[in-house]
Amino acid sequence: MLILKKKVERDHITMKNLFNLFLIMLLVSMPILSLAANFSETCEDGSGEPGSGFGIGFGIVLEFGLYRNSCPEAESIVYSWVETAVLQDPRMAASLLRLHFHDCFVNASPLILYFVLIILGCDASVLLDDTEGLVGEKTAPPNLNSLRGFEVIDSIKADLESVCPETVSCADILAMAARDSVVVSGGPSWDVEVGRIDGRTASKQAATTSLPSPNSTVPTLISIFQKLGLSQTDMVALSGGHTLGKAKCTSFTARLQPLQTGQPANHGDNLEFLESLQQLCSAVDTSVAITQLDLVTPSTFDNQYYVNLLSGEGLLPSDQALVVQDPGTREIVETYAADQSVFFEDFKNAMVKMGGITGGSEGEIRKNCRAIN
């Protein structure tokens, strides 16, 4: 028994030593994790309203005004192209905003590869075209025949490369273009933290599984956002981006279920609104039929989205869920519907936080946003 006891003790010590060795190897191998909370005391519009920044990355600390010396024309170039694109096609504002969202939410989950912890996030992976050795994110179900605006980003990048080559990352272009899309649509402005780098890979699988579904429940939405360091308030505020843009009938068929099955409507459903949607979707092929997310002010960035939700006129099931599935999210919706300035402030802060989900330190400044260098 004594011999057996000593053997067990030796085995325990050996396992403990091996575990400690693994931890040492992990710490030595991985870059230092920087959790940066940056606070801005002034906003771009000169309002003096505070904004916050949040970043999780490896060796990356985002900054305000990083291109002030290295590429002073960067912000004006991005704004000019976005303004022109939205004037020609008002829907482009929502498309550019959505590109940034779909970029930051994909690959943002921590991964351990060869003892190195990797977080990607806002790294312009969404812009990469498929190649022989890379299946990118453009053909993932949430993105296929849905994401738009790639040509606008191409034009911005080409212009920037002619003025200040290999300086402004594609990921930063996405963040600035998203902000400018909101501004030219009548929404608030904010300072964009920059310094992101472009990833050298993309993941169709991650794009398929990481993005919220239009049928997501409130608990699912809260869970997805919290994993990225975004709060319940951030989630409801960012959902307000649906005050712009359009959606296909296939993305909101679940909203029509009470009419199609004869079952009682959910609490808060607007049957007249649902009947108008059913008429639209039954008139043409549902795979191509689209309608405005906000039928009242479709091209204006405002708080009408939240007013619509309280009237039972949320287009996507995940939108209407905010007022019928959770009293906490409903309270936030009611606040935003009553006071647009509160929504604008929370939206600005949430956009800076989302944009701070930064990529791994192993990246580059792409010359062409569609391909690695």
Side-chain angles (χ1 to χ4, degrees):
M1 289 294 293
L2 182 61
I3 294 174
L4 179 61
K5 181 179 179 181
K6 289 183 178 180
K7 182 179 184 303
V8 170
E9 290 175 349
R10 285 198 305 270
D11 290 345
H12 175 74
I13 293 172
T14 301
M15 290 299 295
K16 184 177 180 180
N17 289 339
L18 286 173
F19 180 74
N20 288 337
L21 179 61
F22 168 78
L23 289 178
I24 292 171
M25 292 175 65
L26 177 61
L27 291 172
V28 171
S29 299
M30 69 185 236
I32 297 175
L33 171 65
S34 66
L35 292 173
N38 304 306
F39 299 88
S40 169
E41 294 302 326
T42 59
C43 291
E44 190 174 80
D45 59 3
S47 65
E49 297 173 342
S52 67
F54 176 86
I56 301 179
F58 295 89
I60 293 181
V61 177
L62 302 182
E63 303 176 35
F64 296 110
L66 180 66
Y67 299 127
R68 192 170 292 124
N69 296 320
S70 59
C71 191
E73 297 178 60
E75 296 221 9
S76 62
I77 288 173
V78 175
Y79 183 87
S80 177
W81 278 103
V82 170
E83 183 179 40
T84 299
V86 175
L87 283 174
Q88 295 174 349
D89 176 12
R91 184 185 172 194
M92 189 55 67
S95 299
L96 294 173
L97 180 60
R98 190 163 177 249
L99 272 180
H100 182 44
F101 182 93
H102 280 225
D103 182 41
C104 294
F105 265 63
V106 176
N107 291 334
S109 300
L111 304 171
I112 295 181
L113 298 175
Y114 302 107
F115 304 112
V116 179
L117 187 61
I118 299 174
I119 296 182
L120 300 175
C122 309
D123 65 345
S125 59
V126 72
L127 301 178
L128 289 174
D129 286 340
D130 288 358
T131 64
E132 186 175 339
L134 171 70
V135 178
E137 299 164 16
K138 292 181 178 180
T139 56
N143 299 335
L144 183 62
N145 298 322
S146 176
L147 285 186
R148 305 167 69 246
F150 298 109
E151 295 78 9
V152 178
I153 301 300
D154 291 340
S155 297
I156 294 172
K157 183 60 174 175
D159 202 350
L160 287 170
E161 286 297 301
S162 69
V163 176
C164 36
E166 300 180 57
T167 303
V168 182
S169 69
C170 300
D172 280 346
I173 292 174
L174 286 175
M176 289 186 282
R179 184 269 314 274
D180 294 342
S181 295
V182 171
V183 173
V184 299
S185 301
S189 182
W190 62 92
D191 285 332
V192 173
E193 291 181 301
V194 292
R196 300 167 189 82
I197 56 176
D198 301 322
R200 294 195 181 103
T201 187
S203 172
K204 179 179 179 178
Q205 180 182 2
T208 301
T209 59
S210 301
L211 293 164
S213 160
N215 295 312
S216 294
T217 63
V218 170
T220 298
L221 290 171
I222 292 174
S223 175
I224 291 173
F225 278 70
Q226 284 183 342
K227 288 177 181 177
L228 304 178
L230 299 170
S231 68
Q232 176 176 279
T233 297
D234 295 328
M235 183 269 287
V236 179
L238 290 173
S239 296
H242 286 172
T243 190
L244 300 173
K246 299 181 179 182
K248 294 182 180 180
C249 286
T250 50
S251 66
F252 57 84
T253 51
R255 289 279 283 130
L256 307 179
Q257 189 173 2
L259 300 178
Q260 296 167 343
T261 64
Q263 296 177 352
N266 295 322
H267 174 68
D269 274 342
N270 183 322
L271 292 181
E272 183 179 349
F273 173 70
L274 296 183
E275 288 169 355
S276 69
L277 294 181
Q278 185 178 53
Q279 183 177 3
L280 168 72
C281 295
S282 60
V284 293
D285 184 353
T286 57
S287 64
V288 296
I290 58 175
T291 188
Q292 304 284 355
L293 286 162
D294 172 8
L295 294 172
V296 182
T297 56
S299 300
T300 302
F301 192 95
D302 55 20
N303 67 336
Q304 184 64 44
Y305 163 82
Y306 300 102
V307 177
N308 294 343
L309 296 187
L310 295 176
S311 301
E313 297 180 11
L315 187 65
L316 303 180
S318 57
D319 289 334
Q320 195 60 41
L322 297 177
V323 297
V324 299
Q325 292 184 1
D326 187 287
T329 56
R330 181 184 177 90
E331 182 179 355
I332 299 171
V333 169
E334 290 172 342
T335 298
Y336 293 163
D339 192 335
Q340 181 170 272
S341 64
V342 176
F343 162 52
F344 279 4
E345 187 65 25
D346 285 353
F347 182 83
K348 293 190 300 183
N349 292 337
M351 285 295 291
V352 175
K353 286 176 69 175
M354 184 185 75
I357 306 171
T358 55
S361 59
E362 294 300 318
E364 61 186 12
I365 305 297
R366 287 185 214 143
K367 301 175 185 178
N368 175 355
C369 290
R370 293 175 179 264
I372 60 175
N373 295 338

